[in-house]
Amino acid sequence: MRAPIQRYRNILDFALSSLLRRKGRNLALICVYTLVIFVIASLIFFVQALKREARELLIQAPDMVVQRMVAGRHDPIPTIQAEAIRAIRGVEAVQPRLWGYYYDPVFGGNLTVMAASDQELAVDSVWVGRGVARSMRVNEGDLISLRGYGGQPILFAVQKILPEASELVSSDLVLMSEKDVRALFNFPEGLATDLAVTAGNPRELATIAAKIVELFPDTRPIMKTEILRTYEAIFDWRGGLMVVVLGSAILAFIIFAWDKATGLSAEERKEIGILKSIGWESSDVLLLKFWEGAVVSLTAFLSGVLLAYVHVFFFSASLFEHALKGWSVLFPRYRLVPALDAYQLTVLFFLTVLPYTAATLVPIWRAATVDPDAAMRS
Amino acid sequence: MIELVHVEKTYQADLATPFTAVDDVSLSIAAGKLTVLKGPSGSGKTTLLTLIGCMARPTSGRIHLHGLPEDTLPELKEGDALEITSLPERFLTAIRRRTFGFIFQQFNLIRGISVLENVMLPTYPTGEDHQRVEASAIQRLEALGLARHLRAPVDRLSGGEAQRVAIARALINDPLVIIADEPTAHLDSKLSEDFMELMGQFKSSGKTLLITSHDPIVYGSPLADRVVEMRDGRIVKGS
Ligand SMILES: Nc1ncnc2c1ncn2[C@@H]1O[C@H](COP(=O)(O)OP(=O)(O)OP(=O)(O)O)[C@@H](O)[C@H]1O
Ligand SMILES: [Mg+2]
């Protein structure tokens, strides 16, 4: 006798027109709700994206980097030390690395200039990261001009723009031949920025590090695992902060939702009575209110998540810049590569949409189960 | 059609101040006739209507409904009498929807939505075809002279118009019985007479009518087949 689909549709239709009927109240509700979702989702996206970037960064990092310290500061290291280190048992390869920072006064940003380890790159030509290409407005085949150590301009041909696996890793990168790096920075022959050490067996790294320090007391070996730990610590600290912010946002939201949802106005109560008196069952009324709550929370959830996505990945989380200044020191201004975490979004969904919908249903349940004769007297 | 046997309704029976609003009422209401319940305020007329209309259960006594169509409830056979006081809530709703059309004293329209939607509202949970229901609602509203107000929100209607919307809503499920509680309380005498004329039309189309009123236009009307008078929850005349 009943056509279930049509029943759902009819009641959904009525739920929508009911929402429109209380436009002001529901709009305010959706706005606050969207805002909460927006903040939480932004945080989630942001942390997620940063974690991803850091992971990329570390995948490419060598097992161990050896730096020379002079007066507690990082100083160029003689490349001959590489030979001595290579002789240590367990060391597989030692690669002197030549890199530095170049401040670009025109664009007001730092570039990382690095010597390409393989010899593919011809003199006077460079590979640049996407961020560099963007800020200098160059394409493959164009020329860029960098100021040499003495102030003289040096021209380079852009041979290639690095693929965007992760912007953070390669965005500010300028790769050139070793000869060009030395010329640009006036970096003396026989010195390198640091040494990248690869061990045959990563478990021997600690022993190797100890031997290196014994051999050259003025060096500092930095292990990938240590960097990893540092990053992890930073993220965990930040992550911990996130948890607090997230937790309080969700708590505030639940209080807000509870307040909004459980307060059944006299008008609504009367309407439920009327609906029951004209032949609606309690389950029909519940379905109606469920639709109303679901429409409100889904709308807010989707728009909040969407806004957060745009905010984080198109505007680089610009609203958080102040709160999370630390990041912008670590990672200068980049566009984050979109990273979506379905799991976290699901959790967010269940932490917001479900409690809200449930909170709406509680008072209705009570009202919907009263005798409909209340409608006869009011 | 409707048969009440020793029906009693006591409010707050479990409290220190029980109040018996309907006291030992036995009454039988004939199908296809117009029955008027009259009596002073507080005599229990509305309460009796809620009992008959399956909106509340009596404290004791039995209410039998005769001549319900077979599809009102599963396992109901033609000609069976249905004893409604012991039925579960779910069935009461189904009976209420199929059997009774209510016109409330305060009209009880839902504010903020259109006249048309108000009239269609009782059919939503039945899952009937939207278009068909809409067509029949429009037809009923046009017959009641509300063609101009189909899409208007009900809040803007005059008292008489609002009542006619309530009447259209009561009719949308094509009930056997029309129950009206003090239908003329908010109307002037011209509108009251119009109302009675409308009831006359429903009567001649075969509906059973049950109206409470202390308005002489209603109980004094030649259309009224029977006037039952109540006082202090009891029937004093006309049973
Ligand atoms: N829920 C309730 N709890 C307690 N008493 C109630 C309740 N509902 C109604 N009553 C009482 O029952 C009595 C009968 O009420 P009812 O509404 O049936 O009277 P009525 O004949 O319809 O009056 P009126 O002509 O004023 O509408 C009244 O005295 C009323 O106060
Ligand atoms: Mg009354």
Side-chain angles (χ1 to χ4, degrees):
Chain A
M1 179 179 119
R2 275 192 168 198
I5 310 254
Q6 189 61 41
R7 166 175 178 254
Y8 283 108
R9 275 203 42 200
N10 287 344
I11 295 182
L12 175 60
D13 274 354
F14 184 57
L16 290 177
S17 80
S18 288
L19 287 175
L20 285 179
R21 207 144 45 95
R22 290 184 274 270
K23 226 179 287 157
R25 176 179 178 264
N26 287 311
L27 266 183
L29 194 69
I30 289 179
C31 283
V32 178
Y33 201 151
T34 303
L35 188 73
V36 174
I37 301 277
F38 166 76
V39 170
I40 300 176
S42 289
L43 281 174
I44 290 179
F45 285 153
F46 191 58
V47 170
Q48 238 23 59
L50 287 181
K51 275 193 173 164
R52 204 189 97 104
E53 300 288 350
R55 234 177 357 251
E56 290 293 324
L57 204 71
L58 286 170
I59 285 172
Q60 297 173 2
D63 288 343
M64 177 161 59
V65 169
V66 180
Q67 298 177 340
R68 189 164 82 106
M69 306 299 288
V70 172
R73 295 182 63 90
H74 181 191
D75 211 59
I77 187 165
T79 41
I80 37 161
Q81 291 189 0
E83 305 306 317
I85 291 173
R86 199 171 287 128
I88 296 174
R89 203 143 54 85
V91 173
E92 197 177 80
V94 181
Q95 176 72 46
R97 299 195 308 176
L98 190 59
W99 58 274
Y101 295 123
Y102 172 89
Y103 178 74
D104 188 312
V106 181
F107 307 107
N110 267 316
L111 308 179
T112 303
V113 176
M114 202 169 210
S117 43
D118 32 30
Q119 302 306 310
E120 267 174 60
L121 257 162
V123 174
D124 291 343
S125 57
V126 288
W127 291 2
V128 299
R130 248 167 223 281
V132 180
R134 204 161 39 223
S135 59
M136 292 192 169
R137 287 169 220 255
V138 291
N139 283 315
E140 281 174 22
D142 291 349
L143 290 179
I144 59 171
S145 154
L146 302 180
R147 266 158 41 105
Y149 69 95
Q152 79 286 14
I154 307 178
L155 283 181
F156 294 94
V158 178
Q159 206 177 66
K160 184 174 164 186
I161 291 172
L162 293 167
E164 183 171 19
S166 148
E167 285 227 347
L168 212 56
V169 179
S170 59
S171 184
D172 72 333
L173 204 58
V174 176
L175 282 179
M176 53 180 76
S177 66
E178 188 186 328
K179 190 166 164 288
D180 283 334
V181 177
R182 291 195 191 279
L184 182 71
F185 291 135
N186 192 24
F187 211 107
E189 290 287 341
L191 288 180
T193 311
D194 51 27
L195 306 176
V197 179
T198 320
N201 179 358
R203 264 178 296 181
E204 286 174 20
L205 275 172
T207 333
I208 295 172
K211 289 216 178 106
I212 292 174
V213 177
E214 205 176 298
L215 220 55
F216 306 109
D218 62 343
T219 60
R220 178 174 70 170
I222 302 166
M223 275 177 280
K224 185 172 175 173
T225 49
E226 262 171 48
I227 305 175
L228 203 72
R229 253 203 307 281
T230 313
Y231 270 118
E232 214 97 284
I234 294 172
F235 278 127
D236 278 358
W237 182 77
R238 296 284 178 179
L241 187 70
M242 296 298 169
V243 168
V244 173
V245 174
L246 226 104
S248 32
I250 287 177
L251 192 72
F253 171 72
I254 287 174
I255 293 169
F256 152 82
W258 187 258
D259 182 55
K260 272 285 171 202
T262 53
L264 196 59
S265 65
E267 168 128 14
E268 273 180 294
R269 204 177 287 273
K270 180 165 178 214
E271 274 179 23
I272 292 173
I274 295 175
L275 290 176
K276 292 203 73 177
S277 73
I278 61 174
W280 285 47
E281 277 178 32
S282 301
S283 63
D284 300 324
V285 175
L286 282 172
L287 181 63
L288 168 72
K289 294 296 167 179
F290 169 78
W291 277 137
E292 283 185 20
V295 167
V296 166
S297 46
L298 279 180
T299 309
F301 182 80
L302 290 181
S303 36
V305 167
L306 201 72
L307 285 176
Y309 189 90
V310 171
H311 170 226
V312 172
F313 297 119
F314 289 90
F315 293 97
S316 308
S318 46
L319 294 181
F320 293 163
E321 224 165 30
H322 277 288
L324 299 164
K325 205 133 204 170
W327 289 122
S328 42
V329 175
L330 257 185
F331 308 115
R333 203 165 303 173
Y334 297 118
R335 206 180 260 192
L336 294 163
V337 176
L340 275 192
D341 188 332
Y343 168 73
Q344 299 221 18
L345 278 183
T346 314
V347 170
L348 179 62
F349 180 84
F350 282 110
L351 282 182
T352 52
V353 173
L354 279 196
Y356 179 80
T357 312
T360 0
L361 286 184
V362 172
I364 312 284
W365 175 257
R366 268 184 296 157
T369 47
V370 298
D371 267 351
D373 75 325
M376 297 284 270
R377 4 180 147 258
S378 47
Chain B
M1 173 85 231
I2 304 164
E3 194 185 339
L4 294 88
V5 185
H6 300 298
V7 169
E8 182 194 315
K9 176 71 176 179
T10 301
Y11 287 111
Q12 293 150 357
D14 47 348
L15 295 183
T17 54
F19 183 87
T20 303
V22 170
D23 196 359
D24 194 25
V25 167
S26 295
L27 177 68
S28 122
I29 292 160
K33 302 278 190 234
L34 195 164
T35 307
V36 178
L37 282 176
K38 98 176 220 207
S41 185
S43 56
K45 305 183 295 292
T46 299
T47 306
L48 196 60
L49 288 189
T50 64
L51 297 178
I52 293 171
C54 305
M55 289 196 177
R57 292 171 198 274
T59 315
S60 67
R62 295 275 170 265
I63 301 173
H64 301 277
L65 298 182
H66 300 272
L68 298 187
E70 265 182 63
D71 60 354
T72 311
L73 288 182
E75 290 174 37
L76 183 71
K77 283 185 211 64
E78 191 78 51
D80 271 5
L82 201 59
E83 205 289 297
I84 58 171
T85 56
S86 53
L87 286 176
E89 179 66 36
R90 202 153 45 87
F91 290 163
L92 290 184
T93 309
I95 296 172
R96 190 159 70 229
R97 188 153 57 209
R98 298 280 319 218
T99 314
F100 299 102
F102 293 93
I103 301 161
F104 302 97
Q105 192 167 353
Q106 271 85 17
F107 311 142
N108 280 349
L109 300 175
I110 301 238
R111 299 160 61 86
I113 61 174
S114 72
V115 165
L116 191 57
E117 241 190 308
N118 258 289
V119 173
M120 293 169 66
L121 214 44
T123 69
Y124 284 0
T126 63
E128 274 170 74
D129 180 61
H130 203 78
Q131 245 103 43
R132 219 175 44 72
V133 172
E134 186 171 288
S136 102
I138 290 176
Q139 197 200 329
R140 282 183 205 283
L141 284 165
E142 281 171 349
L144 289 166
L146 289 163
R148 286 195 303 135
H149 301 288
L150 293 179
R151 314 275 165 195
V154 288
D155 320 38
R156 295 214 202 111
L157 299 179
S158 72
E161 286 166 343
Q163 190 185 47
R164 277 176 283 153
V165 175
I167 294 171
R169 185 179 65 183
L171 293 171
I172 193 72
N173 277 330
D174 201 19
L176 294 174
V177 183
I178 294 172
I179 292 181
D181 192 13
E182 311 273 358
T184 60
H186 297 299
L187 304 181
D188 62 27
S189 51
K190 168 73 175 72
L191 286 173
S192 300
E193 267 152 22
D194 290 351
F195 174 82
M196 285 314 287
E197 198 191 314
L198 211 53
M199 292 300 119
Q201 286 172 24
F202 297 150
K203 193 174 127 184
S204 44
S205 71
K207 307 261 181 231
T208 305
L209 297 151
L210 183 57
I211 303 176
T212 69
S213 185
H214 38 225
D215 180 352
I217 295 178
V218 176
Y219 64 74
S221 159
L223 290 165
D225 297 295
R226 183 169 165 210
V227 177
V228 177
E229 199 175 328
M230 293 186 70
R231 187 153 303 167
D232 297 335
R234 292 171 173 271
I235 293 179
V236 291
K237 217 193 270 173
S239 70

